[in-house]
Amino acid sequence: MSPWSNTHEPTLIARSRPVGWGLLAGGALFLAGGPMHPSEDPVGVGLKEHLRLMYEDPAWYPSQAVLLAGMTLIAASLVALARGRAFAGVPRLHAVTVIAAITASLAAVDWLVRLVSAVEADAIAAGRATPISDVQVVMETVTIPAFCLGVIALAVVGGRSRALGNPLVAVLAVLGGIGHGLAGGTILFTDRFDFLFPAAAGIALWAMAVGGMMLMRRRRTIPAAVA
């Protein structure tokens, strides 16, 4: 059953149009940015040296810029969804929407710091202090797992109620969130889970699917309401 009445559904769906497009575009950019990311990970190299190799890769800035744009669009869409209080009548769903919006916003800030941290490539090579990189790595170990957990909660609660996706689509977010969250949350301590970073594609696909479903729902519902 829909979490809102049929009387209010057309209005809520109409308001969700920018959110749908934002999630669809954000997910597409986030998905596209993954394969662009530098993949240097030589055996026996420490974290700082690993970062330097990625910073010096010509693909660093383009990949991070695309990923940042995708994350920013996803965060902005979730913030708009939370502020619009589309799920205010369903306290649990509204609560996880707010949590997902906050954690996605923090992840977007982390990605901005990640983008500019490449200016310290020479400092790493020279053995000098790298405050931006140090802060970014700490931020990543906190914000990425938090973001992934927020998306998982939103996907599961929204999918079960079918107000935001469905249970099958939620699986994408769950698998992607677990893998990416584990990789991001342990980067400061070990590189054992680095191979799981590409699991972020699951989150991107979830955002695209949910955004597309929101837009399709609007196209189906509003003509019926007008008629």
Side-chain angles (χ1 to χ4, degrees):
M1 180 179 293
S2 174
W4 46 71
S5 67
N6 292 332
T7 302
H8 297 98
E9 189 170 15
T11 301
L12 290 169
I13 291 173
R15 289 177 181 174
S16 72
R17 181 176 172 82
V19 174
W21 281 116
L23 288 174
L24 185 60
L29 287 170
F30 201 63
L31 184 65
M36 297 170 61
H37 195 287
S39 58
E40 290 87 347
D41 193 13
V43 178
V45 171
L47 177 59
K48 283 292 184 70
E49 182 62 14
H50 174 62
L51 291 175
R52 183 185 70 80
L53 291 172
M54 291 196 298
Y55 292 164
E56 293 178 347
D57 192 305
W60 176 262
Y61 283 111
S63 66
Q64 297 306 311
V66 172
L67 287 165
L68 171 61
M71 179 59 72
T72 300
L73 277 174
I74 291 173
S77 300
L78 294 178
V79 168
L81 193 61
R83 288 178 60 86
R85 300 184 63 80
F87 306 131
V90 189
R92 180 180 299 179
L93 183 54
H94 178 67
V96 295
T97 301
V98 171
I99 292 172
I102 293 172
T103 57
S105 299
L106 293 175
V109 173
D110 169 62
W111 237 285
L112 176 60
V113 178
R114 191 180 308 192
L115 174 68
V116 302
S117 62
V119 299
E120 295 184 334
D122 291 341
I124 294 175
R128 299 195 301 271
T130 55
I132 300 176
S133 297
D134 293 344
V135 168
Q136 188 279 312
V137 173
V138 173
M139 288 179 63
E140 183 173 347
T141 61
V142 176
T143 60
I144 296 305
F147 164 65
C148 291
L149 288 173
V151 168
I152 289 173
L154 179 59
V156 171
V157 177
R160 289 184 63 185
S161 66
R162 297 184 182 273
L164 204 62
N166 58 46
L168 184 60
V169 170
V171 173
L172 294 170
V174 172
L175 296 179
I178 291 174
H180 191 61
L182 184 59
T186 59
I187 189 174
L188 190 60
F189 314 106
T190 179
D191 60 359
R192 182 174 300 176
F193 301 106
D194 285 4
F195 73 97
L196 291 174
F197 274 113
I203 295 176
L205 291 171
W206 170 81
M208 294 173 64
V210 169
M213 291 173 73
M214 293 176 74
L215 294 172
M216 290 174 62
R217 180 183 293 169
R218 176 183 184 273
R219 295 170 71 91
R220 287 197 308 266
T221 305
I222 289 184
V226 173

